[in-house]
Amino acid sequence: MRVLLVEDDEPVAESLRRGLLRYGFEVAWVTTGEAALGHEEPYDVVLLDLGLPDTDGLDVCKALRERGNVPIIVISARSDETDRVVGLELGADDYVSKPFGVREVIARIRAVMRRAQPRTEAAAGPDRYGSRLTIDRKAARVRLDGAEVALAPKEYDLLSFLTEEPGALMSREQIMEAVWDANWFGPTKTLDVHVAALRRKLAGAITIEAVRGVGFRLEIARDSSAS
Ligand code: CA
């Protein structure tokens, strides 16, 4: 997923950029409103600071929204409630106040992307992964070749998390935080047990590669019968 980051504050932008890269996002970083509006590479979501050196971020928000429906998340140091309301009225999809954590920003990106899906996809049904696996996130149901797979609640949560960004390397810490507990410091053996269960139950549809010393990477199995 490609993120256009519009932020003139270098330390803020750098830490956000590094955090997003770590989670598998691609990041294009610009520091002015003019550069944001002139950016020509395609992107999937915009993170837009309101306090820019050349223009008011709210004007950039309005201009971006007039051009299309790419999701916009406004980030601001202004604690003013009016900014939030005006930003949303001008077409922003969500809003985060500084200071914020990378995880919070990522959660919001995922949420706005999920909401944005129906705009571009004709049918908002279960998510398809390759030819064999579907995940119905509303009903929390997983099907393999059309047959429902019985997963324990944490197995489902783990699969749901890892399939948000197929191919992205997730560290053990990120997974433990997201799936088990926000403040997990203990051993992560339970994670290995759940990974093993998913590999067994979804064999052939996905692979979960262990990256030694780091974490795991889920890949969707390629179609073997491409006809
Ligand atoms: Ca700023």
Side-chain angles (χ1 to χ4, degrees), residues 66-97:
E66 279 165 1
R67 284 185 195 178
N69 55 18
V70 62
I72 302 169
I73 300 173
V74 158
I75 49 182
S76 178
R78 308 181 200 174
S79 53
D80 192 350
E81 178 74 6
T82 357
D83 264 355
R84 201 179 75 81
V85 173
V86 172
L88 296 176
E89 273 175 3
L90 289 178
D93 296 87
D94 207 345
Y95 188 98
V96 278
S97 307

Side-chain angles (χ1 to χ4, degrees), residues 5 15 21 41 54 68-69 72 75 92 115 139 151 166 181 189 215:
L5 172 60
S15 84
L21 291 174
E41 302 294 311
D54 59 336
N69 55 18
I72 302 169
I75 49 182
R115 290 203 299 270
L151 295 181
D181 188 280
K189 181 100 186 83

Side-chain angles (χ1 to χ4, degrees), residues 20-224:
L20 289 168
L21 291 174
R22 217 169 41 226
Y23 280 82
F25 292 85
E26 292 171 42
V27 181
W29 171 28
V30 297
T31 56
T32 63
E34 193 189 346
L37 294 174
H39 191 75
E40 289 186 346
E41 302 294 311
Y43 47 85
D44 304 301
V45 60
V46 184
L47 293 179
L48 174 65
D49 179 34
L50 290 187
L52 296 170
D54 59 336
T55 41
D56 191 311
L58 289 172
D59 292 333
V60 179
C61 178
K62 189 159 170 262
L64 286 173
R65 180 51 72 237
E66 279 165 1
R67 284 185 195 178
N69 55 18
V70 62
I72 302 169
I73 300 173
V74 158
I75 49 182
S76 178
R78 308 181 200 174
S79 53
D80 192 350
E81 178 74 6
T82 357
D83 264 355
R84 201 179 75 81
V85 173
V86 172
L88 296 176
E89 273 175 3
L90 289 178
D93 296 87
D94 207 345
Y95 188 98
V96 278
S97 307
K98 290 176 183 174
F100 50 77
V102 167
R103 284 190 51 78
E104 181 188 354
V105 173
I106 288 169
R108 285 174 194 252
I109 290 176
R110 289 186 171 143
V112 299
M113 292 310 291
R114 267 196 294 273
R115 290 203 299 270
Q117 293 298 316
R119 285 189 212 159
T120 47
E121 280 172 24
D127 296 335
R128 299 196 66 89
Y129 299 91
S131 58
R132 304 184 59 192
L133 177 68
T134 60
I135 302 178
D136 183 341
R137 291 176 193 271
K138 274 202 202 101
R141 286 208 164 123
V142 175
R143 288 174 187 275
L144 181 64
D145 298 330
E148 187 164 353
V149 182
L151 295 181
K154 287 296 178 195
E155 289 169 4
Y156 173 80
D157 291 346
L158 176 60
L159 178 69
S160 179
F161 179 72
L162 291 176
T163 48
E164 280 184 9
E165 286 283 321
L169 174 59
M170 298 297 183
S171 73
R172 285 179 169 270
E173 289 72 24
Q174 285 164 3
I175 298 170
M176 293 310 292
E177 272 180 36
V179 178
W180 272 270
D181 188 280
N183 298 296
W184 184 275
F185 296 109
T188 57
K189 181 100 186 83
T190 186
L191 171 56
D192 297 272
V193 173
H194 284 74
V195 166
L198 287 181
R199 281 178 179 148
R200 193 176 65 245
K201 292 179 180 180
L202 301 173
I206 57 164
T207 58
I208 304 176
E209 179 195 351
V211 179
R212 210 182 158 81
V214 187
F216 295 94
R217 179 188 287 126
L218 178 143
E219 301 271 7
I220 310 301
R222 293 253 167 83
D223 278 343
S224 49

